[in-house]
Amino acid sequence: MTPPRSGTFIYHTHWHDVAQLTSGLYGPLIVIEPGQKFDPEVDKIFIVSREGPRDSVSPLLLNGTAQPPAIVLKLGSKYRLRFINIGTNDSDASVLLVDNKAQPIQWRAVAKDGWTLPPAQATMRVAIQPITVGETYDFELVPDHSGDFRLQVGMKFLKTIISQSVTVR
């Protein structure tokens, strides 16, 4: 397989898809420009999924767990946050990055579904993004102050929220 371009993509099943997707048969497919290297220290991947086949009952997962471990980011470093929704029917998911007062911070949109955004769309914006099934979004984040933050993934109608602690030092 020769990818058509660099970007954030998904591989996943299309056979017995609900059972297989909720059993973890999916993953990110990150394509990097020739000559560049993937650096997990600054390139962070977040996959939204479900633990079981019943959307309204099965626990929401972030990177395969209902209790994602805390992450630490370095003040002033540039991060690429790659979000993927591979839930079977979670069309109302949203990701949100908030400070310790539960206020959204700012990030720069850089890509959508494996396509680099044109300059007019690659803008700073509030760190809230709806993400439906099969979508990917990439954002650039340069933390400008230290502190404790929370990455939250929620379902609008079910009010389900999973949260990951983010500390900037």
Side-chain angles (χ1 to χ4, degrees):
M1 180 180 97
T2 303
R5 63 191 174 280
S6 63
T8 302
F9 302 94
I10 314 164
Y11 68 86
H12 57 91
T13 181
H14 280 273
W15 184 258
H16 303 296
D17 56 334
V18 172
Q20 291 178 344
L21 284 174
T22 59
S23 295
L25 190 54
Y26 59 81
L29 183 60
I30 308 301
V31 180
I32 304 296
E33 287 288 337
Q36 293 183 348
K37 292 185 179 183
F38 180 82
D39 182 356
E41 290 296 316
V42 295
D43 206 328
K44 305 294 183 184
I45 301 168
F46 303 94
I47 303 175
V48 179
S49 63
R50 289 285 182 165
E51 186 172 21
R54 296 176 57 206
D55 294 334
S56 62
V57 178
S58 299
L60 187 63
L61 303 177
L62 184 60
N63 291 341
T65 181
Q67 298 178 341
I71 60 173
V72 176
L73 304 179
K74 293 179 184 174
L75 184 66
S77 292
K78 186 190 304 184
Y79 293 89
R80 186 170 189 130
L81 310 179
R82 299 173 187 261
F83 295 97
I84 299 169
N85 181 349
I86 197 59
T88 57
N89 199 25
D90 290 321
S91 60
D92 63 339
S94 290
V95 294
L96 168 69
L97 187 56
V98 298
D99 63 17
N100 61 359
K101 295 176 184 165
Q103 295 300 308
I105 64 169
Q106 297 271 314
W107 56 19
R108 178 179 302 284
V110 293
K112 164 77 172 99
D113 293 333
W115 289 98
T116 300
L117 294 175
Q121 294 177 2
T123 58
M124 290 299 291
R125 56 183 74 171
V126 175
I128 300 171
Q129 181 61 56
I131 180 170
T132 195
V133 175
E135 285 188 313
T136 70
Y137 285 92
D138 293 17
F139 294 94
E140 185 179 276
L141 175 68
V142 181
D144 62 359
H145 64 282
S146 59
D148 294 321
F149 300 83
R150 301 222 49 90
L151 175 63
Q152 297 179 334
V153 179
M155 299 297 152
K156 182 172 36 176
F157 300 111
L158 300 176
K159 299 195 179 1
T160 304
I161 294 179
I162 189 167
S163 187
Q164 182 170 28
S165 176
V166 178
T167 300
V168 176
R169 295 184 184 150

